Amino acid sequence: MRKLYIFDTTLRDGEQSLGITLNVKEKLDIARQLVKLGVDVIEAGFPASSPGDMEAVRTIAREIKDVVVCGLTRAVERDIDYCAEALKAAEQPRIHTGIAVSPVHMEKKLRLAPDQVVEAAVAAVKHAKKYVHDVEFYAEDAFRSDHAFLVRVLEKVIDAGATVVNIPDTVGYATPWEYGELISHVMHNVSNIHRAVVSIHCHNDLGMATANSLAGIRAGAGQVEGTINGIGERAGNTSLEEVVMAIYTQRERYGVDPGVYTREIAATSRLVARITGVPVPSHKAIVGANAFMHASGIHQDGVLKERDTYEIINPEVVGTPKNKIVLSARSGRHALRHRLDELGYSLENTEIDMLYQRFLQLADQKGEVYDDDLHALMGQNGTNGSGICLKNLSVTTTGAATATATVTLELDGSTVTDAACGNGPVDAVFKAIDRLMGWTIKLEDYTLKSVSRGSEALGSATVKVSSGDNMAVVGRGVSTDVIEASARAYINALAKVKGITTIRQSASTCDKC
Ligand code: KIV
Ligand code: ZN
């Protein structure tokens, strides 16, 4: 089996999804989990694009070991200088530089002749080589390029020192057979291809990113790029978990070993969904809530007789354990810790103590506490306690739309109360919180969903807010009361805007949030 390198770009191309902005801590948390998952390369960001990305790449390069840490650049010296600076402390740094090679991109976007593009590509690789040995070159929009021209560019950049050459289907236009043929063409026609690893990078505009990537792997690619949950520009990138599990289920088809700890897949997916605020559709392959559910009587009967009848993957292989312990108000800390361990959360004793109080409150309200409730509690655990804390909330509604909310917050050590009217209870609560904070903040998005079963289920609210300097952050909150969940989500977002990054909950000052 040849090694297939797994290049994760959740923190770069994934973050380019509409509406996602991750702060340094959020990126670092995801990077740590990607290491547990066993990816080979983490593309941490595009340092020249913003000071925030610069800092994120710098922090990940410093903190994350045993993996290649990569930064993206255009074929521009300044970008490469920034990237090299950000990667300075990395154990295994990689600069990912490149330029577009399709006629439409060269003529309309870059306004460069093909010869100038070759020149810029070679210059970029040579400049990056001054800083690091490991330089990946991307030929943007390679799938729509003239393939003879692509071969010429690749030969030149490999001669200039590129160690990896990336052949993206930037706009998700390929079909599996065509993309496979393109990779095969590269393998057979680029004279010095044995000196570089061929990488594939597909987008999902026609829903074929995973299929195209698998075709590229079969044609000989040595590295696959993608994101967790398939997040990314427009319709997203290749879902790495889908590629890994497609190979896992039928290795002999592909003849490669991705070397990923598949049992970390579910935990990684949940973390990315929670931090980005982009939920995983319930029918999503491998990581969707229904991916291993059997609803019809015929299917249930079949699975009970023999799992293989309707299940091609044992859910435990991707870290979705079968729940054997029923958690309720009678469960102790030990049972709670055991279940959290199984779900991939490892907590210190003090953190278990804090979480246990919230768990008991919830169990009193709900009876049985399901895995989804625990994920929600974990999402909420550690979201406050450094300045803003919800102490009390009451709402009265009059008529269909008008509502009045009275909110009490603990704000930087003082207890403050204010009230506001709004168009419905959530609007009233957000307005009351705005009055207490004395800020004007723009609500960009708000979603509410149930995270487990039954009418007593937890409601999980996600809000996206932006402040004057265009910083957009996501906040989350959970509660059996959906108005309270919304208030918590809003406060969580405001706490982030306020620059509160130390987000450990303090049981001594607040026993509610
Ligand atoms: O889709 C693409 O072409 C890219 C490159 C910048 C690698 O994301
Ligand atoms: Zn891309």
Side-chain angles (χ1 to χ4, degrees), residues 43-57:
E43 186 164 53
F46 178 179
S49 68
S50 71
D53 241 27
M54 178 81 189
E55 196 44 41
V57 177

Side-chain angles (χ1 to χ4, degrees), residues 339-357:
R339 188 79 201 121
L340 287 168
D341 277 350
E342 284 184 336
L343 294 174
Y345 298 106
S346 56
L347 272 75
E348 306 284 332
N349 284 343
T350 49
E351 290 176 311
I352 286 281
D353 286 346
M354 285 191 284
L355 190 77
Y356 187 62
Q357 299 311 319

